[in-house]
Amino acid sequence: MTTETCNEVLLAGTAQDAPALSHENHGARFYRFSLEVPRLSGQADVLPVLLPEDRLLPLGPGDPVRIQGQLRSFNNRSGVGSRLVLTVHAQEAEAGDGGPQNHIRLCGAVCKPPVYRRTPLGRSICDLMLAVPRRYGRADYLPAIAWGQVAARCAGLQVGDPLSLEGRVQSRLYRKVTESGIQDRVAYEVSIMHLLEEEDA
């Protein structure tokens, strides 16, 4: 696998809503829906999926679906909501069999200094920002989080260092203080399970 194509997401879960028209780009229409993927803990990640019209399925709430694609970022300049918007761009979609899956594989470079800290209970955490190359000289900027021994390894990385990983895409609720008051928002990030050696990536 080359760095240019090392952005692979495999998700299987249930649709939370029917796909609705999101936007049109170069004559192609894209539809958005939310996909719920259960975790082993009993919680669930609810992830935004973008489907091109030629991959559209007749989906409704509760329908199982399996998605293959890439995790993409978009810089929101509207001033409303998060500045960095993450979406799963589906390249393949099919009816699912009901079994949950959440797997991502990324190769890129560290583009911000890692932030290493500990929880009040003493668990190690490291926050990273990974630049993942895309075609035509573009890149996706993807936030990632590591725990425990993986966090300690990530803490030693420098800006520009290559990084290949496997993990899952997760959603996280947080509260944002704004001029109009406190707002509940959702952040999306990659939870790192394993760091890969270059020959594995």
Side-chain angles (χ1 to χ4, degrees), residues 120-196:
L121 296 176
R123 195 171 180 201
S124 301
I125 309 177
C126 189
D127 293 303
L128 297 164
M129 184 67 76
L130 193 65
V132 178
R134 209 198 294 178
R135 288 188 300 174
Y136 309 118
R138 302 183 65 184
D140 291 296
Y141 296 91
L142 306 176
I145 187 167
W147 299 83
Q149 292 182 337
V150 177
R153 288 179 62 190
C154 290
L157 295 169
Q158 305 290 320
V159 171
D161 283 351
L163 183 65
S164 300
L165 62 89
E166 286 184 335
R168 62 181 173 81
V169 187
Q170 67 182 20
S171 60
R172 174 173 51 83
L173 291 170
Y174 71 100
R175 291 194 155 182
K176 173 85 171 178
V177 179
T178 67
E179 292 178 359
S180 57
I182 297 174
Q183 295 180 356
D184 289 331
R185 293 188 179 178
V186 182
Y188 304 101
E189 61 200 3
V190 174
S191 179
I192 302 173
M193 302 301 178
H194 309 286
L195 298 182
L196 303 175

Side-chain angles (χ1 to χ4, degrees), residues 3-175:
T3 301
E4 286 76 14
T5 58
C6 191
N7 180 343
E8 300 174 356
V9 179
L10 176 60
L11 300 174
T14 54
Q16 294 301 287
D17 44 27
L21 182 63
S22 168
H23 65 279
E24 195 169 317
N25 187 20
H26 299 295
R29 290 182 173 184
F30 293 85
Y31 291 76
R32 181 182 295 271
F33 73 98
S34 297
L35 180 70
E36 182 178 274
V37 183
R39 297 185 192 177
L40 291 175
S41 65
Q43 290 183 299
D45 294 298
V46 180
L47 306 172
V49 176
L50 205 59
L51 268 174
E53 190 169 37
D54 62 356
R55 295 290 186 267
L56 203 54
L57 295 176
L59 287 175
D63 286 346
V65 60
R66 189 173 183 270
I67 297 292
Q68 283 182 278
Q70 295 184 334
L71 186 62
R72 300 272 184 89
S73 69
F74 165 72
N75 196 12
N76 178 13
R77 295 187 173 88
S78 71
V80 179
S82 301
R83 283 193 300 174
L84 190 68
V85 179
L86 300 189
T87 309
V88 176
H89 277 241
Q91 294 165 326
E92 300 292 337
E94 60 186 10
D97 59 8
Q101 281 186 293
N102 187 339
H103 183 263
I104 187 167
R105 188 173 189 163
L106 296 173
C107 308
V110 177
C111 61
K112 283 186 178 179
V115 177
Y116 182 74
R117 63 190 193 282
R118 290 185 183 273
T119 67
L121 296 176
R123 195 171 180 201
S124 301
I125 309 177
C126 189
D127 293 303
L128 297 164
M129 184 67 76
L130 193 65
V132 178
R134 209 198 294 178
R135 288 188 300 174
Y136 309 118
R138 302 183 65 184
D140 291 296
Y141 296 91
L142 306 176
I145 187 167
W147 299 83
Q149 292 182 337
V150 177
R153 288 179 62 190
C154 290
L157 295 169
Q158 305 290 320
V159 171
D161 283 351
L163 183 65
S164 300
L165 62 89
E166 286 184 335
R168 62 181 173 81
V169 187
Q170 67 182 20
S171 60
R172 174 173 51 83
L173 291 170
Y174 71 100
R175 291 194 155 182

